[in-house]
Amino acid sequence: MLEVIILAIALSMDAFAVSIGLGSKHSHKSLSLALMAAIYFGVFQGIMPLLGYAGGKGVFGWIEAFAPWVAFILLVLIGGKMIYESRVEGIEQDISKITHRVMLVLALATSVDAMAAGFSLTLLEVNPLYACLLIGLVTFGFSWLGVLIGAKTGTWLESKAELLGGIVLILIGFKILFV
């Protein structure tokens, strides 16, 4: 279960970084925005790995011998993408008004990586429903905190969160491959 907690924290860093950016730009309504971000990001981050897990189980029989390599490649690509994104400006800088539609798009954008990472759950001996619930709850908490932190401190922590999340996902990929 420790691996799932670490995976949950790493996956939530994308939503955390976006939440910091949102909070820094919209600090005048941080509590309502924190709740909105936490719900959207938490729900989508909880559902998407379950979809990835289901897809992974569906093709697992065909690629069983290569499954650790597939999980490794996916996690390294996702981690690399997060590291790259930590070096460029986030989309939340261009958003002037927060609507449910905007939050839906942001939640989908930040959770696509979680769907791909959900494939790695097929290789861990965990209940996928509990794992996805944990991922959703951790993301809920980090998104809530991200908005509040962004409202108080600005964006200085935003890129560091994505960088850390990317590094952790790559390390999980290596662990799956070599352990």
Side-chain angles (χ1 to χ4, degrees):
M1 202 58 165
L2 179 62
E3 291 169 321
V4 176
I5 292 170
I6 293 169
L7 180 65
I9 292 169
L11 289 174
S12 70
M13 288 298 108
D14 225 4
F16 181 60
V18 170
S19 296
I20 291 171
L22 291 172
S24 69
K25 188 163 175 111
H26 303 279
S27 60
H28 59 282
K29 55 180 178 176
S30 61
L31 285 178
S32 62
L33 182 57
L35 182 60
M36 182 185 247
I39 290 171
Y40 271 97
F41 294 149
V43 167
F44 277 84
Q45 288 278 42
I47 291 172
M48 295 301 258
L50 194 57
L51 295 176
Y53 173 82
K57 277 296 192 189
V59 298
F60 194 73
W62 298 342
I63 62 165
E64 186 173 359
F66 304 105
W69 281 99
V70 171
F72 169 76
I73 291 168
L74 285 173
L75 290 171
V76 167
L77 288 174
I78 295 166
K81 178 179 164 277
M82 286 178 71
I83 291 170
Y84 170 76
E85 288 174 350
S86 74
R87 301 290 175 222
V88 297
E89 282 297 316
I91 189 172
E92 67 280 352
Q93 301 304 323
D94 300 328
I95 298 170
S96 60
K97 185 176 179 191
I98 303 297
T99 64
H100 289 287
R101 182 180 211 174
V102 167
M103 289 305 296
L104 180 66
V105 170
L106 289 174
L108 281 169
T110 59
S111 64
V112 168
D113 296 348
M115 184 171 72
F119 177 83
S120 66
L121 293 176
T122 61
L123 302 176
L124 303 175
E125 294 183 22
V126 296
N127 181 321
L129 293 176
Y130 291 140
C132 292
L133 178 64
L134 181 63
I135 291 168
L137 289 173
V138 167
T139 302
F140 181 96
F142 271 100
S143 299
W144 176 277
L145 285 174
V147 170
L148 299 179
I149 289 170
K152 296 285 185 204
T153 65
T155 61
W156 70 270
L157 186 60
E158 184 177 1
S159 63
K160 292 164 186 60
E162 273 192 301
L163 178 65
L164 177 64
I167 291 169
V168 170
L169 287 178
I170 291 170
L171 292 174
I172 291 171
F174 277 105
K175 183 187 182 305
I176 287 173
L177 188 61
F178 294 115
V179 175

